[in-house]
Amino acid sequence: MVISAPTGSGKTVLFELCILRLLSRFISAEGRFIHIKGTLKTVYIAPSKALVQEKLRDWNQKLGKLGINCLELTGDNASYNIRNIQEADIIVTTPEKFDAVTRYHFKDGGLSFFSDIALVLIDEVHLLNDPRGAALEAIVSRIKMLSRKPEMKSSALASVRLLAVSATIPNISDLAEWLMVPIQGIKRFGEEMRPVKLTTKVFDVLMQYSRGKSALVFCSTRKGAQEAAQRLSQTAMTFGHSNPFIRDREQQDRLREASLSCSDKQMQSYILYGIGFHNGGLCQKDRSLIEGLFLRGDLQVLCTTNTLAHGINLPAHTVPGRLMTKYYLRFNTMKNMMQAPADCSVEAALHIVCRIQLRRNEKKLLSDANTDKDGRLRFHILGEKGKRKKRIQTREEKIFVLANDCLTGDPSLHDLSMNQDMISICSNGCRIAKCMREYFIYRKNYKGALNSSLLAKSLHQKLWDDSPFLLKQLPGIGMVTAKGLHSMGVKTFETLYEADPRKIEIVTGRKYPFGNHIKESLLSLPPKIEMKLEETQCERQGKFKLVVTLTRLSQAAQSTKRHYADMPVQYLYSGVNASARKDDC
């Protein structure tokens, strides 16, 4: 089936009904549910990891009680093998990852589970027209081709069902023909089927928060940006001479002159009201004109796609709006960031990161972890009188404990759902911490920038910078090897450099030349640098100047490979407003 229906009209429910219909084959004549793991697979394909992880959480909660096993295949989840795929009942994945698994692991049995695929669910299928659509087209074609092979005649794949949905499919007939969907399987629903009619209050928001200042209105499509500018212009027109986006007659004259030099007829009329749009469809001349007007403050409202955030230096008032777009943050997350103290510590930054949405609370395990009798965690949830809380209750507290447990390098919480939460926390938290770093730099809060940089690197590596298992960052070193090295006093890159390869093999129980390979992994690290700061005189009164001298102490490895050690948390540099000099030794 191919279904085009508005957002919120129940497309996810259709997916779930199809899954339940497939699972009904396990119901015996006596009415008992006899589930045989992995024999009838559903493959759910969505364009983004966020959408995939949302479905994973939702379906684990709904179907996990029946013993249905859901497996995530994305770049965020590397802890799986072919056996995990074979035993999975529902595979939730992105097109690129599923294509890679089935294309590059062919000799390792990457296609061995294909015969068990009975249902393929494709979300946001309109993205076939996107540059990323090639991967989706490849995997659907691969499924169709294999389903027609004679040797698959008796398998579930031979009668595989495909359900493709989207809110916007302009050429639904062409798509249905490609998927070989019969005419009765094509369903198109209009805006009248939307349960809650869409309303826009952009103008009211601009009046409340951005009156007299530059504002950006981000839209998902080029057409959306044009339509938003049109509607705002129509609203501004009703104000007559008291247009809130026009400050004075001089601005009005500059806008009138600019509109005459604009080649886009629609834009000419919008500019007169202090409003414009910006997208990839504009010619270079018009783009430069609009950017100039906006930067000078003559154009107060700019409706744009998110591509603008990466191509133009925006006025100070719109910096939080730019960062929200670049890092895909919610408004409340950005608001929490803007309320951070001037001396924002790593702990305070982690509290901000932990205000993200996750699943249910596993209170007993989390409370025990926060009690932390062994002193493993760096930070704790504190109650009255500064004592560690014995009961974890809120979502933020849960995430804070999970993050601290994960960053020890050797998590004590091994529950499957909490492991998935840890992956999500580190991925989303790293993104938020990077945004905090940019925001603090913009606010010239260098202590906050330094601590948020450290937190971002720690979340990226899933390790604190003082973890005893820092060597896990190097290729070839897992938890077992890291613990073995720790037992012989090897905890840092420096001590590993001095360690005896033969002794490494003894404590890890590995054979020659394992120790040599472990030591060679140090070549993947950046060169060692010595940094020296000197204060010098400055001609401007009340200012001082710092000279930063960087001295390379070791040569960088001549390797084109990228490893996990490309971003080690031990090496952390902070930028200052100073001139720099670099000396090579």
Side-chain angles (χ1 to χ4, degrees):
M1 293 183 71
V2 180
I3 298 174
S4 176
T7 302
S9 57
K11 295 190 289 294
T12 299
V13 176
L14 290 176
F15 284 154
E16 292 172 351
L17 288 173
C18 288
I19 293 172
L20 291 175
R21 178 179 175 181
L22 181 64
L23 295 176
S24 68
R25 298 188 195 179
F26 292 117
I27 300 177
S28 65
E30 295 80 22
R32 296 175 58 195
F33 183 71
I34 306 173
H35 173 227
I36 305 173
K37 189 181 294 185
T39 53
L40 289 176
K41 295 189 191 303
T42 297
V43 178
Y44 169 81
I45 304 168
S48 69
K49 289 186 287 188
L51 198 53
V52 165
Q53 290 164 355
E54 178 190 344
K55 291 295 185 290
L56 179 73
R57 290 192 294 267
D58 192 23
W59 290 343
N60 262 335
Q61 185 176 4
K62 291 178 179 177
L63 303 173
K65 300 171 185 177
L66 298 175
I68 303 303
N69 181 23
C70 297
L71 175 68
E72 175 191 352
L73 290 185
T74 66
D76 284 350
N77 180 26
S79 57
Y80 65 87
N81 52 42
I82 295 301
R83 183 176 179 182
N84 297 142
I85 298 176
Q86 290 171 340
E87 293 181 351
D89 298 299
I90 300 176
I91 297 173
V92 291
T93 183
T94 56
E96 292 83 2
K97 187 65 176 180
F98 195 72
D99 182 38
V101 168
T102 55
R103 182 191 296 268
Y104 300 114
H105 295 278
F106 176 78
K107 294 181 180 179
D108 300 328
L111 292 177
S112 61
F113 65 92
F114 257 57
S115 60
D116 297 325
I117 297 176
L119 177 63
V120 178
L121 307 174
I122 308 172
D123 210 350
E124 307 295 347
V125 71
H126 64 275
L127 291 174
L128 272 169
N129 192 41
D130 191 81
R132 298 173 56 205
L136 177 59
E137 185 176 351
I139 59 179
V140 172
S141 299
R142 194 173 301 144
I143 291 171
K144 287 166 56 184
M145 178 189 70
L146 291 174
S147 68
R148 292 196 292 265
K149 283 187 171 290
E151 54 266 36
M152 294 289 180
K153 189 173 182 181
S154 59
S155 69
L157 185 64
S159 55
V160 62
R161 296 184 67 206
L162 288 95
L163 174 61
V165 306
S166 174
T168 54
I169 311 178
N171 56 336
I172 191 169
S173 300
D174 296 334
L175 182 62
E177 182 180 354
W178 177 60
L179 293 175
M180 297 184 292
V181 175
I183 190 69
Q184 62 270 24
I186 305 174
K187 306 293 181 183
R188 187 197 297 269
F189 301 97
E191 288 296 314
E192 69 279 1
M193 298 300 294
R194 188 183 292 275
V196 180
K197 189 175 180 181
L198 285 180
T199 58
T200 55
K201 300 181 180 179
V202 176
F203 189 84
D204 295 338
V205 172
L206 291 173
M207 292 298 95
Q208 183 176 357
Y209 296 105
S210 192
R211 191 160 191 165
K213 301 176 182 176
S214 301
L216 286 171
V217 178
F218 286 103
C219 307
S220 58
T221 63
R222 294 180 181 182
K223 186 178 179 182
Q226 290 177 266
E227 290 179 348
Q230 180 184 15
R231 293 185 183 184
L232 287 171
S233 299
Q234 290 171 348
T235 305
M237 189 188 305
T238 62
F239 284 78
H241 294 294
S242 57
N243 181 347
F245 306 130
I246 303 296
R247 297 185 301 273
D248 48 45
R249 181 169 292 277
E250 288 76 15
Q251 179 196 3
Q252 181 73 70
D253 291 341
R254 290 193 298 270
L255 289 174
R256 187 177 292 110
E257 183 180 350
S259 70
L260 296 175
S261 60
C262 182
S263 58
D264 188 286
K265 299 299 181 183
Q266 286 183 312
M267 185 80 80
Q268 287 180 358
S269 60
Y270 305 157
I271 288 176
L272 294 174
Y273 298 100
I275 299 165
F277 65 86
H278 185 290
N279 58 40
L282 293 176
C283 67
Q284 183 60 48
K285 177 188 171 185
D286 286 352
R287 274 206 300 270
S288 300
L289 173 68
I290 293 301
E291 289 171 8
L293 289 172
F294 186 67
L295 288 171
R296 289 192 296 271
D298 288 338
L299 206 64
Q300 293 219 334
V301 180
L302 187 59
C303 303
T304 177
T305 55
N306 63 1
T307 53
L308 178 68
H310 307 290
I312 178 174
N313 293 319
L314 303 174
H317 182 64
T318 62
V319 166
R322 175 177 64 85
L323 293 177
M324 287 173 65
T325 304
K326 181 177 179 181
Y327 290 101
Y328 302 99
L329 300 186
R330 296 171 182 266
F331 174 72
N332 285 337
T333 304
M334 194 69 220
K335 187 169 69 173
N336 292 332
M337 201 177 297
M338 295 170 71
Q339 294 171 348
D343 58 343
C344 184
S345 64
V346 174
E347 184 177 7
L350 184 58
H351 273 292
I352 294 172
V353 165
C354 290
R355 293 173 186 172
I356 56 179
Q357 291 186 350
L358 280 179
R359 294 193 293 244
R360 63 189 185 280
N361 293 323
E362 294 85 352
K363 295 181 181 177
K364 178 68 171 63
L365 291 172
L366 293 164
S367 298
D368 291 344
N370 189 59
T371 304
D372 193 22
K373 295 179 181 178
D374 299 327
R376 298 171 60 258
L377 306 188
R378 178 184 281 196
F379 305 118
H380 303 83
I381 298 294
L382 303 179
E384 296 179 359
K385 300 180 181 179
K387 294 183 178 180
R388 298 173 189 172
K389 287 187 71 173
K390 295 183 178 180
R391 292 186 62 193
I392 298 302
Q393 295 174 310
T394 68
R395 184 187 71 228
E396 181 186 340
E397 290 175 349
K398 168 191 173 176
I399 298 172
F400 190 81
V401 173
L402 276 177
N404 271 281
D405 186 58
C406 178
L407 292 174
T408 62
D410 184 21
S412 62
L413 299 170
H414 300 295
D415 179 79
L416 177 61
S417 65
M418 285 196 280
N419 284 337
Q420 292 169 343
D421 283 347
M422 284 183 187
I423 293 171
S424 178
I425 289 166
C426 290
S427 173
N428 293 315
C430 180
R431 174 169 48 83
I432 295 171
K434 287 179 180 178
C435 181
M436 290 172 63
R437 177 191 62 202
E438 290 199 31
Y439 177 71
F440 286 141
I441 290 173
Y442 153 68
R443 294 299 300 267
K444 295 184 172 55
N445 180 350
Y446 295 113
K447 184 174 181 179
L450 176 67
N451 287 327
S452 54
S453 294
L454 176 60
L455 180 60
K457 293 189 175 189
S458 297
L459 289 168
H460 177 79
Q461 293 292 352
K462 300 182 179 66
L463 288 166
W464 283 123
D465 58 316
D466 59 355
S467 168
F469 307 113
L470 279 172
L471 298 178
K472 279 175 59 181
Q473 299 173 88
L474 296 175
I477 298 183
M479 195 66 240
V480 175
T481 303
K483 285 184 175 180
L485 293 170
H486 183 268
S487 68
M488 62 180 282
V490 177
K491 305 182 227 177
T492 64
F493 302 131
E494 289 79 7
T495 53
L496 179 60
Y497 183 80
E498 301 293 336
D500 180 5
R502 305 291 79 80
K503 191 174 180 181
I504 291 174
E505 291 159 0
I506 292 172
V507 298
T508 58
R510 303 294 291 272
K511 296 180 179 179
Y512 173 86
F514 178 75
N516 298 61
H517 293 327
I518 290 299
K519 296 203 65 171
E520 287 172 3
S521 66
L522 288 168
L523 296 175
S524 62
L525 293 176
K528 192 172 181 180
I529 299 291
E530 181 181 72
M531 183 166 64
K532 182 180 178 182
L533 296 178
E534 297 175 283
E535 183 178 346
T536 62
Q537 293 182 348
C538 185
E539 295 178 0
R540 296 175 62 183
Q541 188 176 4
K543 299 286 184 179
F544 69 92
K545 188 176 182 181
L546 286 179
V547 176
V548 183
T549 305
L550 302 177
T551 305
R552 176 178 288 177
L553 302 179
S554 64
Q555 293 298 321
Q558 300 299 315
S559 172
T560 58
K561 288 187 176 181
R562 292 184 61 83
H563 299 296
Y564 295 111
D566 286 346
M567 195 181 177
V569 297
Q570 265 196 332
Y571 292 86
L572 181 63
Y573 311 119
S574 173
V576 295
N577 288 334
S579 59
R581 180 171 72 237
K582 182 177 180 181
D583 298 323
D584 286 346
C585 292

